[in-house]
Amino acid sequence: PFLSHPHSPSLFLFPSGLLVATVVQADGLRAMDRNGKSDPFVELDAQPAVVHSTRVVPKTLSPVWNETKYVLIQEPKTQSLRVACFDHDAVNVKELLQVNVLKGAANILGSKSLIGRASFNVRDLEPGVTADEWFPLGLGELGSEDGSGGAGANSREGRVRLKLTYFPWELLYSKQRQAQCGAVLL
């Protein structure tokens, strides 16, 4: 649903539901470091302005996170969850070797390199039912007709396992629950 703010000509999109996304694990990731390993972490988003990140798991090609993120969904029929797996580097060696003073320390310290990405359409989820799936990671662009994921289980970039449950507000409001925590949306 769209709502126009009285002081702005732009339109605002309001959430119509909540996607509970658990980043479980990954395997078969590509080695990005000289030690033959990676320091992987995952970023999730359904809108580019709000990115959810997991912690970095050092020196592995098969990380386990088991981290749950709560992603607000505005348009479940057209919106996708974008997943990107990165390698974390404390120091970006490429930038350090170029010694570019104009780029500054921000580009040298705490950099990330893309291992692979995938996307998933929210409309493919049955409301209230948890899907537990492996997604192949690829280097394709998110908007590509062929998709961003790799070639199934044989992807050279690896794969990531997610547990996804979409709750439209109507489903959440229709059931009486005993909540120990909650969210306030303004």
Side-chain angles (χ1 to χ4, degrees):
F2 289 99
L3 178 68
S4 180
H5 189 275
H7 303 292
S8 171
S10 62
L11 295 175
F12 293 95
L13 208 51
F14 287 97
S16 63
L18 180 71
L19 178 64
V20 179
T22 301
V23 183
V24 180
Q25 67 190 82
D27 69 10
L29 297 181
R30 202 164 23 104
M32 301 292 284
D33 297 336
R34 288 185 182 208
N35 64 6
K37 303 287 184 182
S38 292
D39 304 310
F41 69 99
V42 170
E43 290 183 352
L44 302 171
D45 75 86
Q47 50 184 328
V50 183
V51 178
H52 304 273
S53 297
T54 65
R55 72 185 184 288
V56 174
V57 179
K59 300 178 184 167
T60 185
L61 299 178
S62 299
V64 175
W65 292 282
N66 282 321
E67 291 185 33
T68 300
K69 306 299 179 186
Y70 300 92
V71 182
L72 293 175
I73 300 296
Q74 290 78 22
E75 291 293 329
K77 292 179 183 175
T78 59
Q79 208 164 354
S80 295
L81 177 69
R82 294 176 289 275
V83 181
C85 186
F86 293 97
D87 173 53
H88 177 268
D89 292 308
V91 176
N92 186 336
V93 176
K94 293 175 193 170
E95 295 289 337
L96 185 60
L97 292 175
Q98 292 177 358
V99 189
N100 189 338
V101 177
L102 296 175
K103 290 185 179 180
N107 291 338
I108 295 173
L109 301 176
S111 70
K112 62 184 182 182
S113 303
L114 179 66
I115 294 174
R117 63 173 66 99
S119 64
F120 181 81
N121 294 321
V122 176
R123 71 175 170 260
D124 294 336
L125 294 171
E126 184 178 340
V129 177
T130 300
D132 185 348
E133 295 191 30
W134 286 91
F135 295 92
L137 298 171
L139 294 175
E141 293 299 322
L142 289 169
S144 167
E145 280 185 21
D146 298 329
S148 56
N154 298 323
S155 171
R156 290 183 44 216
E157 281 65 57
R159 60 189 188 147
V160 64
R161 180 179 166 207
L162 303 175
K163 290 183 181 178
L164 304 169
T165 311
Y166 174 64
F167 294 101
W169 295 145
E170 299 81 34
L171 182 60
L172 288 175
Y173 295 147
S174 68
K175 295 183 179 180
Q176 185 175 5
R177 300 180 188 272
Q178 295 208 354
Q180 295 179 357
C181 63
V184 176
L185 303 175
L186 301 175

